[in-house]
Amino acid sequence: MAFAATPALPTRQRRGATERIFPKLSLQNAHLPPHAYTTLPDSTPVCRLIKLLHPRDPSPNNVSRTLDTLLAHGFQTFSLPATLHPSAATYVRLIGPSSAEKLQLCTRLDINPLNFQTVSRRTVEDLVDEHLRSLSLERLHMVQLSWADFRDERYLDFISELSELQRLGKLRSVGTANFPTRQLRYLHSQGLRVASNQVPFCLLDERPLTQMASFCAQHGIALVGGNSLGGGFFTERFLGLPEPRKSACSPALLRFAGVIRVWGGWGLFQQLLYEMKGIADKYGVSMANVAVKWVLRQPVMAVVIGIENAEYCKSNLRPFHFDLDDEDVAALESVARKGNDLFTILGDSGSEFQVHR
C-alpha cells in the first residue's frame, strides 16, 4: 500500500499559560458516574479508566496524595510499575486494611524467558509474592503477563501457575498484555483462560478491530486499550507545530512517532489533530478526552491512561460526562483512515513488542 499524501503543515501560536482551554464543562465536586465501572469476565470489578501512575515525583507523599485524590473522585483501579510499589505501600499502610480493599492495585510481569532457566510454581509464586510484599498487600487485584518471545512457549506454564495462584487467593484476576490473537487462540486451545488482554488501541491504531476484538468477544476475554493518547501526542501540546526532534521526545513519544511515520506522516497527523481540536472545542473538553472517548466507544472493557499527579484528576473525569455523536466519529475516522493499514504493516496488535522482530 502506498503512503498517504501528507498535507501542508498548519501552524499556530503557542498557548499562554493562563489561557482557558476547557471553558464549557464544569466538573466541580464531580465524581465518576455508574457507567464508569464494569466487571471483567471473571467478575473482577474495574474502573473503565485504569490509571497508570508515572509521577515525576515518586515520593511516598506525592504518590499517596495522588492515590487519595483519585480515590475521592471515584477512580479505583490502578496499574503501578514496580518502581512505585514502595511509595504505594506507604499509602496502603496509612489507610489500613479495610480502606485498602477499595484500592484495586494491578501489576504487570514483563518477562523475557531468556532470564528463566525453568518456569515452575516456585518461580511464578516468588514473583507474585515479591509484588505482594512490596505493596504490603495480601492479594493483587490483577496480574498481567507480558511475554517477550512467543517462540518460547513457557508462557503457557506461566499462565497456568498464575491461574493456580488465583485459585489460592493471591490474586483476583489473570490477564495478559500485548498477546496477539494467535497466542490468545493457542492459550484457549490448551484449556487456559485469561480475563483480559491489553494492547495498543487508538485512532491511528485500530488493529484490534481486525480480528482480536471478535475473538475476545467470542471467548469471554476483556479487551483493554493501551497507549490511547499516542504516548502523549493526542494533546494540544503538538497542535500546529513541526514534528519534534528525537532529542526532545520521551521514550513513549519516540515509540509513537515511529507509528505516525508508518501510518502516514506528520502532516496527515496534524489534520487529525485539528479535527480532534474542533470536536474538543465543541464539547469544552481536551483533545486527550476526545481521544479516550473514541476508544471507550469501541469494543473495549477499559482504557489504561497514564497520570502524573492529582492535578489531572478533573480532566480525567470528562470522558464520562460527554459523548461523541455519529458526525464526530465519522469526521475523526475519515482522517484516520487516510493513512496506511497498520495491521498490514506491523502485524497483529502486540506483535511489535517481540524481541526477535
Side-chain angles (χ1 to χ4, degrees):
M1 180 185 297
F3 279 80
T6 56
L9 182 66
T11 59
R12 70 170 177 90
Q13 298 296 316
R14 291 187 180 272
R15 292 183 178 275
T18 59
E19 182 180 346
R20 281 184 63 85
I21 302 175
F22 322 125
K24 296 180 183 178
L25 189 58
S26 174
L27 291 174
Q28 187 173 4
N29 300 319
H31 293 78
L32 291 176
H35 64 271
Y37 306 96
T38 189
T39 56
L40 301 179
D42 62 358
S43 300
T44 299
V46 293
C47 179
R48 293 200 69 205
L49 279 187
I50 299 174
K51 296 301 180 180
L52 171 62
L53 267 62
H54 55 83
R56 295 178 182 176
D57 175 9
S59 67
N61 282 344
N62 184 56
V63 172
S64 294
R65 183 168 54 250
T66 300
L67 287 171
D68 205 50
T69 302
L70 290 167
L71 271 177
H73 284 84
F75 294 103
Q76 297 174 315
T77 316
F78 304 95
S79 181
L80 299 175
T83 53
L84 289 185
H85 286 189
S87 294
T90 299
Y91 183 65
V92 169
R93 291 190 293 267
L94 179 67
I95 63 178
S98 60
S99 296
E101 282 294 313
K102 299 178 182 178
L103 276 172
Q104 299 169 355
L105 295 182
C106 311
T107 191
R108 192 159 121 176
L109 302 179
D110 291 300
I111 304 299
N112 187 335
L114 290 177
N115 298 329
F116 291 85
Q117 278 192 324
T118 61
V119 174
S120 63
R121 170 68 54 80
R122 175 59 64 87
T123 303
V124 179
E125 189 166 17
D126 283 351
L127 278 173
V128 170
D129 285 345
E130 180 183 341
H131 284 250
L132 288 169
R133 284 192 300 271
S134 64
L135 286 166
S136 293
L137 293 174
E138 295 184 358
R139 182 176 69 167
L140 294 167
H141 196 69
M142 177 169 62
V143 172
Q144 294 175 307
L145 176 66
S146 175
W147 193 259
D149 189 350
F150 290 121
R151 294 174 301 181
D152 187 326
E153 294 186 355
R154 289 181 296 168
Y155 63 88
L156 297 172
D157 301 320
F158 239 95
I159 293 292
S160 178
E161 297 301 343
L162 286 173
S163 298
E164 179 61 18
L165 293 177
Q166 179 186 28
R167 188 186 68 80
L168 294 174
K170 289 197 171 186
L171 52 104
R172 182 157 186 173
S173 186
V174 177
T176 51
N178 298 321
F179 270 50
T181 311
R182 179 180 179 182
Q183 271 63 46
L184 294 177
R185 186 177 289 114
Y186 189 40
L187 281 175
H188 195 271
S189 73
Q190 300 303 303
L192 297 170
R193 301 292 182 266
V194 293
S196 61
N197 185 42
Q198 179 185 328
V199 290
F201 201 162
C202 69
L203 261 168
L204 293 194
D205 190 353
E206 300 180 68
R207 287 178 295 160
L209 296 177
T210 303
Q211 59 183 28
M212 186 176 293
S214 60
F215 179 85
C216 288
Q218 182 180 355
H219 296 286
I221 302 171
L223 193 56
V224 178
N227 204 25
S228 299
L229 298 182
F233 274 120
F234 287 127
T235 63
E236 286 77 6
R237 174 185 171 192
F238 295 99
L239 182 66
L241 296 180
E243 185 174 3
R245 294 187 299 273
K246 290 183 178 180
S247 59
C249 289
S250 66
L253 287 174
L254 275 177
R255 284 192 295 272
F256 200 75
V259 174
I260 293 172
R261 285 191 289 272
V262 170
W263 166 74
W266 189 254
L268 185 59
F269 183 65
Q270 282 295 314
Q271 277 195 9
L272 182 59
L273 289 187
Y274 270 92
E275 196 67 59
M276 190 177 292
K277 174 61 173 154
I279 294 170
D281 287 346
K282 171 181 173 180
Y283 296 106
V285 298
S286 71
M287 291 165 61
N289 294 155
V290 173
V292 170
K293 190 66 181 184
W294 181 87
V295 180
L296 286 172
R297 289 172 54 95
Q298 307 306 312
V300 300
M301 283 278 193
V303 177
V304 179
I305 297 295
I307 188 168
E308 291 186 358
N309 54 52
E311 294 175 7
Y312 290 86
C313 186
K314 289 289 180 69
S315 177
N316 278 264
L317 292 165
R318 295 173 185 271
F320 297 110
H321 291 272
F322 81 102
D323 200 5
L324 301 174
D325 59 32
D326 292 343
E327 184 179 349
D328 301 327
V329 173
L332 291 170
E333 293 180 354
S334 68
V335 180
R337 290 169 185 171
K338 290 179 182 178
N340 295 302
D341 178 8
L342 293 183
F343 188 93
T344 301
I345 299 171
L346 299 179
D348 197 8
S349 303
S351 57
E352 68 271 27
F353 296 102
Q354 291 292 285
V355 293
H356 61 274
R357 283 179 65 94

